[in-house]
Amino acid sequence: VDMSSDSAPDNGVEVTFSTRTLLRWADLALRFVNLRKKKISPILFSFDRALGFRASPESRDLLHNLVKKCFSGLTSVTLY
């Protein structure tokens, strides 16, 4: 994957979603589960910390849409 791409959505997402990232995301989602009380989605909050903040803003939006589509019942609270 070309990490120097300025237009990630045209060329794909510039970050790699590895097994290690998946495990980190799951671990963080469990750690942040209490954020639901503050109307913050632990799924999206932990996703950003595990992967999203390494992506470009365009790719991050794309990835957020995928997460929301896959976890539609779990992301009904706002991200921030």
Side-chain angles (χ1 to χ4, degrees):
V1 175
D2 182 9
M3 297 295 285
S4 64
S5 172
D6 290 328
S7 57
D10 293 335
N11 298 322
V13 177
E14 72 278 1
V15 292
T16 302
F17 194 88
S18 66
T19 304
R20 176 184 279 179
T21 302
L22 176 63
L23 292 173
R24 178 168 162 70
W25 180 22
D27 180 57
L28 290 173
L30 291 174
R31 290 175 191 238
F32 293 125
V33 74
N34 289 331
L35 289 177
R36 289 187 68 81
K37 295 176 185 175
K38 296 180 180 182
K39 304 289 187 200
I40 299 172
S41 169
I43 299 294
L44 288 172
F45 189 86
S46 60
F47 178 81
D48 278 339
R49 277 127 191 94
L51 181 71
F53 289 146
R54 290 187 281 145
S56 68
E58 296 84 9
S59 291
R60 187 171 169 226
D61 286 342
L62 174 85
L63 292 168
H64 274 206
N65 288 334
L66 288 171
V67 169
K68 289 175 184 177
K69 187 175 182 177
C70 292
F71 296 95
S72 61
L74 299 175
T75 59
S76 58
V77 292
T78 60
L79 180 57
Y80 295 113

